[in-house]
Amino acid sequence: MTKTYHLVGIGNAVVDVIAQCEDSFLAEQGIEKGIMQLIERDRCEDLYAAMGNRVLTPGGSVANTIAGAGALGLDAAFIGRVRDDALGKFYADAMNNEGVDFVNPPVTDGELPTSRSMIFVSPDGERSMNTYLGISSEVSSADVPQDVAGNAQIMFLEGYLFDKDKGKTAFLEAARDCREGGGKVGISISDPFCVERHRADFLNLIGNELDFVIGNQDEICALFETSDLEDAMAKTAAICPLVVCTRSGDGVTVLNEGVRIDVPVETIVPVDATGAGDQFAAGFLFGMATGRSMEICARMGCICAGEVIRHIGPRPETHVLHLLEEAGLV
């Protein structure tokens, strides 16, 4: 019996290792503040050792989204690669315990260790991420069961996996299997630098293989190498039926089949901005999977994002469905 999922994600399975630190620590360690940097294995071990009071949480952008949507009650699954080491087992167990099916068991013969991102949170809530990609970036078509992709109502892909050809191939095959089964497929753009590296491939994928795209203003602008957000959104909407652009304190713009919806957000100073975009996507996709209007989807996303920036860590800590009920959205 094949299981049908509301939502299936494919992405990096990364253990987030979070610690609070002063700006002086970042300077000492040569960490650039506020951005994500990829690091090699030895740098990873040095930084890991230098962290005080480490908090471990299963992370990865799309994995956070899938976990958030699962917490709202969707039948959700995540496809990613971990090693059968301590961090990998922690990751798989944590996803399953959160009610998300972690489709692939930890790999026993992988050369590389489980991926991790060391996240240093400054007193102002800015996060500086140092990510060691490890085994998760080795995702290939072999990791994507056709029956899972082909029976998903919505499939959500992570832009970061585009860095390897086998990741791209896995995406394309999964997207086609999902659409053939009647599902919708979209991508989280992940990061402007990701776009810089793969612009032509991204645009080709968005224009020909996808039903929706979710990104922030910097990512959407990066697609068309412009600083004019309106122009970038219009160009993206010309090639993709549904474009969702988060604009920090300026709210969210949804362009759906030529109809524009702007949804404002409540401005709050974040305790930790980690995961805001991921949880916005969780709320939005929950709305999509349950047949809500685009405006309600966007409002759900904003509430989920608002919850996660009020505490440390990238996943919800309160019963977010209650927050949606209180807002009259469910």
Side-chain angles (χ1 to χ4, degrees):
M1 167 76 187
T2 300
K3 179 157 182 190
T4 302
Y5 291 102
H6 291 118
L7 180 62
V8 175
I10 305 180
N12 276 310
V14 183
V15 178
D16 282 343
V17 187
I18 304 170
Q20 290 176 286
C21 74
E22 297 299 325
D23 287 346
S24 55
F25 175 86
L26 298 179
E28 276 161 30
Q29 293 290 337
I31 295 168
E32 196 169 335
K33 184 172 174 174
I35 67 159
M36 196 281 286
Q37 283 184 313
L38 293 178
I39 55 172
E40 296 301 323
R41 194 166 171 174
D42 18 350
R43 168 83 167 152
C44 159
E45 282 162 11
D46 292 345
L47 284 180
Y48 190 73
M51 295 179 95
N53 293 332
R54 295 188 287 252
V55 179
L56 293 184
T57 112
S61 168
V62 163
N64 289 336
T65 296
I66 302 303
L72 288 167
L74 292 189
D75 274 334
F78 180 69
I79 295 169
R81 233 174 130 76
V82 295
R83 178 75 189 270
D84 67 339
D85 50 20
L87 284 178
K89 288 173 182 156
F90 163 79
Y91 191 96
D93 290 347
M95 288 298 273
N96 288 321
N97 292 341
E98 287 185 10
V100 171
D101 288 355
F102 189 74
V103 174
N104 302 326
V107 178
T108 50
D109 54 356
E111 294 292 305
L112 299 168
T114 295
S115 312
R116 70 205 67 175
S117 181
M118 270 86 48
I119 301 173
F120 297 92
V121 183
S122 317
D124 60 3
E126 270 282 351
R127 66 204 197 283
S128 310
M129 297 190 278
N130 293 264
T131 303
Y132 168 62
L133 283 178
I135 200 171
S136 78
S137 61
E138 300 295 317
V139 165
S140 71
S141 301
D143 296 304
V144 184
Q146 191 173 0
D147 59 341
V148 174
N151 288 285
Q153 188 182 330
I154 299 173
M155 181 161 255
F156 196 42
L157 308 171
E158 181 173 308
Y160 285 131
L161 283 180
F162 249 56
D163 277 326
K164 297 214 170 162
D165 285 341
K166 55 188 172 183
K168 279 182 207 167
T169 307
F171 264 21
L172 277 174
E173 291 180 6
R176 287 170 187 170
D177 287 342
C178 180
R179 291 176 100 181
E180 273 167 27
K184 289 198 179 309
V185 184
I187 195 168
S188 162
I189 300 180
S190 295
D191 146 332
F193 301 113
C194 207
V195 177
E196 299 293 336
R197 293 192 292 270
H198 308 290
R199 186 173 288 106
D201 282 333
F202 260 101
L203 290 173
N204 189 28
L205 187 77
I206 291 167
N208 297 309
E209 308 283 350
L210 300 184
D211 302 293
F212 65 94
V213 58
I214 299 180
N216 65 29
Q217 54 202 21
D218 295 338
E219 292 157 1
I220 299 282
C221 283
L223 282 173
F224 291 96
E225 296 183 85
T226 176
S227 56
D228 181 339
L229 179 61
E230 291 299 324
D231 181 44
M233 288 194 298
K235 284 179 170 163
T236 312
I239 61 169
C240 189
L242 173 58
V243 179
V244 184
C245 179
T246 57
R247 300 159 53 204
S248 283
D250 295 329
V252 179
T253 298
V254 180
L255 299 167
N256 180 37
E257 304 283 4
V259 177
R260 176 176 180 143
I261 302 155
D262 288 296
V263 174
V265 288
E266 175 196 355
T267 310
I268 43 179
V269 177
V271 173
D272 170 20
T274 314
D278 303 338
Q279 292 312 320
F280 170 83
F284 192 92
L285 295 173
F286 170 76
M288 261 178 81
T290 52
R292 294 341 204 257
S293 72
M294 287 293 126
E295 183 185 352
I296 298 292
C297 290
R299 287 173 60 195
M300 286 176 160
C302 292
I303 287 172
C304 293
E307 188 278 338
V308 82
I309 65 176
R310 286 178 163 90
H311 58 75
I312 298 276
R315 297 196 176 181
E317 285 184 356
T318 45
H319 195 1
V320 187
L321 198 56
H322 286 171
L323 300 179
L324 299 184
E325 285 163 2
E326 283 166 14
L329 300 179
V330 181

